[in-house]
Amino acid sequence: MTLETGSQLGPYKIQESIGAGGMGEVFRALDPRLGRDVAVKVLPPAFASDPERLQRFEQEARSVGALNHPNIMSVFDFGTHDGAPYVVFELLEGETLRQRLGGTAMPVRKALDYSAQIARGLAAAHERGIVHRDLKPENLFLTRDGRVKILDFGLAKLVSPEPSASDVTRTVALATEPGKLLGTVGYMSPEQVRARPADHRSDIFTFGAILYEMLSGQRAFRGESAVETMNSILKEDPPELSATNRNLPPELERVVRHCLEKNPDERFQSARDLAFDLESMSGSSLASAGPLKAAGAGASRKRWVLPVAAAGVLALVAVGSFVAGRAASGVGGRSGARVGAAGGAGGTGVVMPGYQRLTFRRGVVRSGRFTPDGRSVVYAAQWGAEPSTLYTTATGSAESRSLGFLGSDLFSVSSRGELALGLNVVPAGAFTRTATLGRVPLTGEAPREVLDAVAFADWSPDGEKLAIVREVAGRSRLEMPPETVLHESAGWISHPRVSPQGGRVAFIDHPLIRDDGGRVFVVEPGKPAQPLGSTWMSIQGLAWSPDGSEVWFTATKSGLSRSLWAVSLAGQERIITSAPGTLTLQDVGRDGRILVTREDQRMGILAHAPGDALDRDLSWLDWSLVSDISADGRLFLFSETGEGGGEAYTAYIRKLDGSPAVRISDGVGFALSPDGRWAVVRPTGENSTLQLVPTGTGASRPISAPGLEIHGARFFPDGQHLLAGANEKDGPLRPYIISLAGGPYRALTAPNVDSRGAVISRDGTLVAIATTDTHDNILICPVNGGPARPIPGLGIAYAPVIWAADGRSLYIRQRGIPALVLERVDIQTGRKEPVKDIQPALEKSGITRPGAFQMTADGKAWVLSYTQTTSDLYLLQGVK
């Protein structure tokens, strides 16, 4: 097909040809609906008449379309024009790995960076049953910002495990006839050369050949002809890398050799394990061939984050309505990589030097602190379905002893051996839990209750005073001592730590209540708080360095693989160490030893379609946040807000029959219109602007509400107005009515009513609003004016879900672990009746937490986001 500049291909306007290959020609084009440039690959009509070639082309579109990962080129669309199929990809700026190599070797650090990203992308594909089968430097693209994108899944093979007598993997699409070779000579695996079935381990062999070339500047397998090259793949090993690069660490050479084993059973068995080994080496001193070490103060490598399968930032809809957040557990890890002798999830992993694992049971470690003498550690953990409990362990022991205090969290351990505890803990937001502050000696006794509704606390060095964080009148406040305010935030404050000298308090200010992004601050009594260093996408965990000259914290600029960083009081930042997965700093001892937790966490979707007898798991990527369901229960809106969703996050629609999800926009989806034709999406970073995005054909358009920071939205039944959960600058969160036609917006409640969620009646005349009032939690508010009135007898544990079909009652929920309890309440009398307990049919291991929940008014269909978290406590030594 000849396409001239300015010609039309479906909805796309062709700008220029940018390349051609065996699978078609690629053009730069403009998508006028979204105003963005894209790449369009067109299969010529002559090729389209070839059934096999057409099948491969369609397979490429479907394979890539099923993936959404930062290291895999995104596919946006697929169609046919004048008999020629085409597929639309993201337009990349940069160069291929082949162009970058140019026949020369790469610096070891750069090769590690790129290869680890490639391994992560492969892991994401393999976990969805997709094998590439044609990896080569030409199919690996290096963007200008240093990210690697895997291209061209034209030869990908979709496989699905199917138990059988021989326990083999059956090809379910694009079967290869016996004797036919698919791949590129020089980068084939032995099984490809022999035209035998090739699974994910074939990609690992090819990956090894590419890594060899990156490190040596020479191809691993080469000959005078294609036959000689294939014979080399089958019978010969490439020359030792040490002969071409004398500075290469032996650990890296062993990784390459392990990839290039002729027998698939002797190679790495997963790309995720391969990525783990490469990540471990990326933090080591690669200038020598000595033992692997954690990155120290002098580490100067480029900071990079390897998404696993999301940066997730939003996770559950607080109070079931319009305040979105990630997880009430207070831990934010999403990584599936493994750490330590047995890995964060209990598997067999690679030991990371400098890390000593302290906990071994399956569950969540919530916090940890050194005892005053530094010989032991006190920590709070929740194992399985047990309540959170305090434990102590010696730093050289694998055994822990229970201290009791069921249902409690640990805030801090004083220099005098007194514990600051959180008693009667309840979830309070996306990341926080509030509790009654209690004090008790480490040696025992009953705790003395001090103060209610405390989220964080830390002892001063002399053990006399406490710095606390609590919420007052919709504002997060840092106080020391209690009642003496040092700092306030419209978002949320976390992890206060008093300096070793006692004169300053370091903390993290998160500007958005549904997001754990933020910045380190330091404050002194009587002075305004001062920010230190950068703003981070995810930042949790903080402590002072032993001498008080730096603040140490765990954070990341992208995704959720938090690393350990330091910032001086002058704002100079440096990385201390990193590891696969998400780290959260818990404590720093006086001798420089460090306590960190390493977390694995994912959010999935459980759904029940109308007429179905069983629930079904409709999880998509790694952090699937449900936001709305259509009135007929056939369609739901969700967002990928973890690492799989990318830095901008991604909004999807999906049918409850299990059909594949359809990507509709970057950003976070909030609501579906009453007719299901539109979705409200908030672009990442645009707090005062929403987008009205079509779920089918049509063009997006903005909805602006200047002066508001919008955290969520719902459609009114007329489809022309939105109820938005928002706040004006430094103001409380309130429900606002916004017209799609523009014009002024108005608040539905008084400024002194701190709202945490709302649902609209079926006729649009009433709104049920969840507040922070502990006694009269849910208010019924007339839309056209008039006094709000509470539903009698509903306390803080209840949240509105949806109005029932009769218009006189409301479905409400109680949040708990592991079930979601659903009830119906009469809005006049407050009389409640149970409806159902929704027990997610999930893995028995780990913690399952119900999150965002959406249901139809007749109760016949629903979708639920659930969170599974596991974490382990580690002692880290030898870094500074």
Side-chain angles (χ1 to χ4, degrees):
M1 170 179 283
T2 300
L3 293 174
E4 303 294 338
T5 299
S7 62
Q8 204 74 19
L9 182 74
Y12 305 100
K13 186 175 182 179
I14 299 299
Q15 296 176 331
E16 62 177 328
S17 175
I18 55 177
M23 293 298 293
E25 188 169 3
V26 182
F27 298 88
R28 178 193 293 268
L30 173 66
D31 183 350
R33 299 168 298 179
L34 297 178
R36 67 179 174 190
D37 288 337
V38 295
V40 181
K41 179 186 281 191
V42 181
L43 192 67
F47 288 177
S49 63
D50 181 339
E52 180 185 4
R53 192 178 292 267
L54 178 59
Q55 187 180 19
R56 291 186 199 168
F57 186 82
E58 292 176 346
Q59 180 66 41
E60 175 179 6
R62 293 192 178 95
S63 297
V64 184
L67 300 170
N68 189 318
H69 191 275
N71 298 120
I72 298 174
M73 183 172 62
S74 298
V75 62
F76 298 143
D77 195 7
F78 175 72
T80 304
H81 182 77
D82 290 341
Y86 64 86
V87 63
V88 183
F89 297 101
E90 63 177 315
L91 184 66
L92 302 175
E93 301 289 343
E95 61 184 342
T96 66
L97 178 60
R98 171 67 68 210
Q99 292 169 317
R100 175 69 61 88
L101 286 173
T104 61
M106 271 187 175
V108 174
R109 291 187 185 277
K110 188 63 69 176
L112 269 176
D113 185 341
Y114 291 155
S115 61
Q117 292 188 60
I118 297 166
R120 281 296 180 205
L122 287 176
H126 293 169
E127 287 166 7
R128 294 188 67 86
I130 298 171
V131 182
H132 192 289
R133 295 200 302 173
D134 195 27
L135 278 178
K136 53 188 174 183
E138 290 83 354
N139 282 342
L140 297 168
F141 197 90
L142 312 179
T143 67
R144 290 177 179 173
D145 61 359
R147 179 164 286 175
V148 181
K149 296 277 188 176
I150 303 175
L151 314 180
D152 200 353
F153 277 78
L155 296 178
K157 179 178 69 175
L158 189 63
V159 296
S160 174
E162 180 178 272
S164 66
S166 59
D167 194 27
V168 298
T169 301
R170 179 178 62 93
T171 301
V172 297
L174 197 60
T176 302
E177 298 91 336
K180 177 170 286 190
L181 296 178
L182 289 177
T184 299
V185 175
Y187 299 97
M188 290 182 177
S189 64
E191 52 269 33
Q192 283 180 295
V193 171
R194 292 190 173 99
R196 293 178 179 172
D199 61 16
H200 64 280
R201 296 170 297 179
S202 176
D203 282 350
I204 290 175
F205 182 93
T206 304
F207 172 92
I210 294 170
L211 180 53
Y212 180 98
E213 189 169 344
M214 292 164 69
L215 295 168
S216 68
Q218 302 174 11
R219 295 198 180 193
F221 303 101
R222 54 193 183 277
E224 295 297 326
S225 65
V227 172
E228 291 178 0
T229 300
M230 289 189 286
N231 187 64
S232 175
I233 291 171
L234 293 174
K235 299 179 180 179
E236 299 174 7
D237 291 326
E240 296 290 333
L241 276 168
S242 56
T244 61
N245 190 334
R246 296 185 178 182
N247 292 324
L248 192 69
E251 292 88 351
L252 185 52
E253 178 144 9
R254 283 195 293 271
V255 167
V256 175
R257 292 292 172 189
H258 195 26
C259 292
L260 293 176
E261 294 286 354
K262 308 296 185 186
N263 184 346
D265 293 335
E266 296 176 1
R267 297 175 204 150
F268 282 95
Q269 295 301 292
S270 80
R272 189 171 300 285
D273 286 348
L274 173 57
F276 175 86
D277 276 14
L278 293 167
E279 286 176 347
S280 298
M281 280 182 279
S282 71
S284 67
S285 174
L286 293 177
S288 68
L292 202 58
K293 301 177 181 178
S300 60
R301 68 182 179 89
K302 177 181 177 182
R303 168 67 185 147
W304 47 273
V305 175
L306 296 175
V308 178
V313 177
L314 305 174
L316 65 90
V317 174
V319 206
S321 164
F322 56 50
V323 181
R326 193 161 55 218
S329 64
V331 290
R334 311 292 180 269
S335 173
R338 299 180 296 168
V339 172
T348 301
V350 180
V351 176
M352 292 190 300
Y355 286 84
Q356 176 194 342
R357 186 170 172 179
L358 299 179
T359 59
F360 297 89
R361 295 181 64 185
R362 184 83 172 181
V364 176
V365 178
R366 299 199 175 277
S367 57
R369 294 290 187 273
F370 287 107
T371 55
D373 61 8
R375 297 180 199 168
S376 299
V377 170
V378 181
Y379 65 93
Q382 185 173 359
W383 304 131
E386 299 173 6
S388 179
T389 304
L390 263 61
Y391 298 87
T392 182
T393 182
T395 55
S397 171
E399 299 293 332
S400 293
R401 176 174 61 88
S402 173
L403 296 177
F405 306 113
L406 299 184
S408 299
D409 278 353
L410 174 67
F411 286 143
S412 184
V413 181
S414 79
S415 58
R416 300 178 178 184
E418 186 175 9
L419 305 180
L421 302 182
L423 309 173
N424 307 314
V425 180
V426 294
F431 301 91
T432 56
R433 293 151 55 93
T434 61
T436 299
L437 175 64
R439 297 174 57 168
V440 64
L442 182 56
T443 54
E445 300 180 10
R448 176 169 63 91
E449 296 185 357
V450 178
L451 190 66
D452 289 331
V454 174
F456 297 90
D458 188 54
W459 288 104
S460 60
D462 58 8
E464 292 286 342
K465 295 187 293 186
L466 278 164
I468 67 165
V469 172
R470 59 176 174 157
E471 187 172 302
V472 179
R475 305 275 294 177
S476 185
R477 297 201 327 196
L478 171 64
E479 304 173 0
M480 190 179 82
E483 304 297 343
T484 300
V485 180
L486 300 183
H487 182 73
E488 281 193 355
S489 173
W492 58 289
I493 297 170
S494 71
H495 304 91
R497 298 303 292 266
V498 185
S499 67
Q501 295 77 23
R504 299 184 176 99
V505 180
F507 62 95
I508 303 169
D509 190 318
H510 309 268
L512 299 177
I513 60 175
R514 48 64 183 153
D515 193 300
D516 72 340
R519 194 173 185 182
V520 175
F521 282 75
V522 170
V523 65
E524 299 180 54
K527 298 180 180 179
Q530 299 298 317
L532 299 182
S534 307
T535 298
W536 302 83
M537 173 173 275
S538 173
I539 175 169
Q540 293 194 53
L542 178 147
W544 288 87
S545 63
D547 64 1
S549 64
E550 293 180 315
V551 178
W552 294 2
F553 60 96
T554 34
T556 178
K557 291 287 189 181
S558 174
L560 285 160
S561 298
R562 292 194 295 264
S563 299
L564 181 59
W565 290 79
V567 60
S568 71
L569 298 181
Q572 295 178 320
E573 292 172 342
R574 64 183 179 91
I575 188 169
I576 299 175
T577 190
S578 60
T582 296
L583 298 181
T584 301
L585 177 61
Q586 299 294 340
D587 202 10
V588 175
R590 282 180 275 182
D591 58 0
R593 291 180 303 160
I594 298 167
L595 280 180
V596 295
T597 48
R598 186 268 183 193
E599 294 108 22
D600 283 310
Q601 195 169 26
R602 68 182 296 268
M603 178 173 279
I605 297 174
L606 193 71
H608 189 91
D612 279 2
L614 299 175
D615 307 335
R616 62 177 81 199
D617 196 303
L618 296 183
S619 306
W620 192 240
L621 302 181
D622 65 324
W623 206 251
S624 305
L625 173 63
V626 165
S627 53
D628 204 2
I629 187 171
S630 63
D632 61 5
R634 303 292 178 183
L635 184 75
F636 69 98
L637 174 70
F638 72 99
S639 303
E640 285 297 337
T641 57
E643 299 198 38
E647 295 183 12
Y649 316 139
T650 311
Y652 290 86
I653 55 171
R654 191 174 189 183
K655 294 181 179 179
L656 273 80
D657 62 6
S659 302
V662 177
R663 181 186 186 279
I664 60 171
S665 175
D666 289 343
V668 179
F670 283 154
L672 289 170
S673 63
D675 59 9
R677 295 180 56 194
W678 300 92
V680 171
V681 176
R682 194 192 68 188
T684 301
E686 297 292 334
N687 292 342
S688 63
T689 301
L690 302 176
Q691 286 284 332
L692 196 61
V693 177
T695 58
T697 59
S700 299
R701 62 186 177 92
I703 306 168
S704 182
L708 287 183
E709 291 187 0
I710 303 174
H711 303 279
R714 283 286 180 267
F715 273 97
F716 273 90
D718 65 4
Q720 300 302 312
H721 294 82
L722 297 176
L723 183 69
N727 63 276
E728 299 179 61
K729 185 177 181 182
D730 297 330
L733 184 70
R734 304 161 68 191
Y736 289 80
I737 298 176
I738 299 173
S739 172
L740 299 187
Y745 48 79
R746 67 179 176 93
L748 200 56
T749 59
N752 63 342
V753 178
D754 187 25
S755 307
R756 292 300 184 212
V759 291
I760 307 166
S761 65
R762 292 167 60 80
D763 62 4
T765 62
L766 299 174
V767 175
I769 301 171
T771 73
T772 55
D773 191 303
T774 57
H775 299 291
D776 297 323
N777 178 42
I778 299 180
L779 299 178
I780 302 300
C781 184
V783 171
N784 294 325
R789 57 179 180 82
I791 299 178
L794 293 187
I796 193 68
Y798 289 97
V801 175
I802 192 172
W803 286 77
D806 61 12
R808 300 185 303 273
S809 57
L810 190 70
Y811 286 105
I812 57 175
R813 59 176 285 192
Q814 292 187 54
R815 290 171 295 167
I817 298 174
L820 184 147
V821 179
L822 194 67
E823 299 174 86
R824 187 161 64 180
V825 61
D826 186 293
I827 64 173
Q828 297 290 340
T829 66
R831 188 177 68 85
K832 300 189 298 291
E833 59 177 335
V835 177
K836 64 177 70 176
D837 287 359
I838 298 174
Q839 173 68 46
L842 305 167
E843 295 178 340
K844 299 299 182 183
S845 57
I847 300 297
T848 300
R849 180 184 299 276
F853 178 72
Q854 298 295 324
M855 187 178 71
T856 55
D858 58 11
K860 294 182 179 180
W862 51 261
V863 285
L864 165 71
S865 286
Y866 64 85
T867 304
Q868 288 182 296
T869 303
T870 58
S871 60
D872 295 292
L873 186 64
Y874 285 85
L875 177 68
L876 175 59
Q877 305 179 76
V879 299
K880 59 183 180 179

